[in-house]
Amino acid sequence: MNDFRLVDAVMPDVTPPDPAKVAEARARALGGRRHRRVPRWAGVLVAATATVAVIGTVAVVPRLGGDPAGQAVTVTRASAGEVLAAAADRLARRPEAAGGRYWRGETEHSNRVRASVAGHTFLVEERGGQVLWVGPGRKRVIAASGLGTRPVTAADRAEWRKAGSPRLCGSDTDCENDMIPAGKTRYIVTEAEEVLQRATLGLSAREIRDLPRDPAALRERLLSYWPAEWKARKKDVPVQVVRAEAAERDDWLWSIGESLLLDTPATPGTRAAVYRMLAGLPGARVVDGVRDADGRVGVAVLRGGGPGESEKQLVIDRETGDPLGVREVPPAPAAGRRTLPGTGVYSRVVKRLGWTDDEPAVPKGCDPDSGKGCLR
């Protein structure tokens, strides 16, 4: 209950081709842009994603206004890797807006689960919102709101009506135990220094602002926390449940990357480095034209999705480089197995991220370090 976990126009005649040079040549051809330097990581990313996005799509069209020689020009469509590279570059170069005492992150999330009520089973979507303020000193405020639970499809609504159209609270009707009931907001005010809290990793706002802007250096910094995390996992989880360390580590890096993007005041340079780091993880691929849970289209870093494995998606705005949202899609059901479609789909979308001078409006009586916070 309320437990949400949100160019091929110019090709250098070089054999073998240098991926960075290929990427640079393609970048020059896109939309008649001026020549600009493309960092070497972009070429590596293009090479790594070529099997997914190929290299680009070429079309030959007549020149506008006609061509007396009957010649044609080549119009090029960028590969997904190049789209991500350009978006990350724009984000990394963007200065942060001046001013603002608080960093504010507003997201909405949803989780699709199976509900069983009065002998009827149907798929529901549980929705919630979160606004996070990271303020001067150590002050941090979280306002988590319940946005309600609803049947997903017409067939689900029919089954829900057969069950008596009960009030739903997540996957059941036990609304009294909800931490964040629909229509209510739970406020948590804390003076804790840690902004990013993930098991053995706790980073303050200042430490997050100081994180590297280079993907390799960022990965190295984050992995310096991994030994303690791995030790804790082996202690807390039965040995037979723990997977190979490399697999656990890469999943951990992905989750830390998501948190840095959605829940912390990381700099634009660090955010761009997160994209590059995640795109370089084993099993990651870059695909253009992916929609987030709100229907917005962007370029995405995907990971997983093999047989019996859920797929994680990070969708990024092509123009600004800002994150649009994250989603986890479960694997397709095994042959012959009956499973409600969409069961377990989790998503989180970004509504607003950035600095503001607006103070968090906290009801009277919601004191710092008040445990579970207060419900209003």
Side-chain angles (χ1 to χ4, degrees):
M1 297 177 202
N2 290 308
D3 183 17
F4 299 101
R5 307 190 303 174
L6 132 117
V7 186
D8 287 318
V10 182
M11 295 293 288
D13 188 14
V14 179
T15 304
D18 182 333
K21 292 181 180 178
V22 174
E24 184 175 1
R26 289 177 184 146
R28 293 198 300 267
L30 290 177
R33 296 174 185 167
R34 295 181 181 273
H35 294 201
R36 68 177 181 84
R37 179 178 175 273
V38 177
R40 178 164 293 273
W41 75 264
V44 175
L45 182 57
V46 169
T49 59
T51 57
V52 176
V54 196
I55 296 297
T57 302
V58 178
V60 179
V61 298
R63 290 183 184 275
L64 294 177
D67 187 334
Q71 296 178 345
V73 295
T74 303
V75 177
T76 307
R77 180 173 180 266
S79 71
E82 290 165 326
V83 174
L84 176 61
D89 282 346
R90 281 191 287 271
L91 177 61
R93 291 194 303 264
R94 188 176 73 200
E96 290 187 287
R101 297 178 63 245
Y102 289 88
W103 182 85
R104 183 181 186 275
E106 181 179 352
T107 60
E108 288 186 4
H109 43 264
S110 66
N111 194 36
R112 292 186 177 184
V113 294
R114 186 183 307 179
S116 297
V117 180
H120 295 272
T121 300
F122 44 93
L123 191 66
V124 299
E125 182 177 71
E126 185 183 14
R127 300 165 54 245
Q130 174 182 289
V131 182
L132 166 67
W133 285 269
V134 178
R138 297 182 176 182
K139 186 173 183 180
R140 185 158 50 99
V141 177
I142 299 173
S145 303
L147 301 180
T149 303
R150 60 191 180 190
V152 176
T153 67
D156 295 316
R157 287 191 290 274
E159 284 298 314
W160 170 67
R161 285 192 290 268
K162 290 178 183 178
S165 304
R167 179 188 176 192
L168 298 172
C169 306
S171 61
D172 54 36
T173 59
D174 185 8
C175 301
E176 297 302 319
N177 290 326
D178 274 15
M179 287 292 294
I180 312 172
K184 298 287 187 177
T185 298
R186 183 171 294 279
Y187 295 87
I188 301 175
V189 184
T190 176
E191 299 290 347
E193 183 176 3
E194 291 81 10
V195 172
L196 178 55
Q197 296 173 311
R198 281 296 181 92
T200 56
L201 184 149
L203 296 178
S204 67
R206 175 173 295 181
E207 289 171 322
I208 289 169
R209 302 285 297 168
D210 289 339
L211 285 173
R213 279 68 161 172
D214 174 78
L218 176 63
R219 176 186 171 91
E220 182 179 1
R221 175 74 63 81
L222 294 177
L223 287 181
S224 68
Y225 299 94
W226 173 249
E229 170 72 16
W230 179 237
K231 181 179 180 180
R233 291 189 180 205
K234 290 191 294 184
K235 179 181 178 180
D236 296 339
V237 181
V239 175
Q240 62 270 25
V241 177
V242 177
R243 300 179 301 162
E245 180 178 358
E248 292 280 339
R249 180 198 64 210
D250 293 340
D251 283 353
W252 178 77
L253 278 175
W254 181 279
S255 68
I256 294 299
E258 282 189 0
S259 294
L260 284 172
L261 293 171
L262 304 187
D263 298 315
T264 76
T267 65
T270 294
R271 293 174 180 274
V274 169
Y275 297 157
R276 299 165 183 172
M277 179 186 75
L278 297 183
L281 288 176
R285 57 206 184 277
V286 181
V287 177
D288 197 11
V290 177
R291 294 182 182 273
D292 71 357
D294 272 0
R296 299 173 296 184
V297 180
V299 61
V301 182
L302 312 180
R303 187 165 182 267
E309 181 185 17
S310 62
E311 179 181 80
K312 296 182 179 181
Q313 305 177 351
L314 165 63
V315 186
I316 301 160
D317 188 287
R318 299 186 188 103
E319 298 302 319
T320 66
D322 290 323
L324 294 177
V326 296
R327 174 184 275 180
E328 184 166 353
V329 180
R337 183 176 179 181
R338 297 184 61 186
T339 302
L340 286 174
T343 301
V345 173
Y346 167 80
S347 66
R348 188 175 178 196
V349 295
V350 174
K351 296 299 183 180
R352 191 173 77 172
L353 298 176
W355 294 91
T356 180
D357 280 322
D358 294 340
E359 295 275 346
V362 180
K364 185 178 181 180
C366 298
D367 299 320
D369 298 316
S370 55
K372 296 181 179 180
C374 54
L375 192 65
R376 295 290 187 272

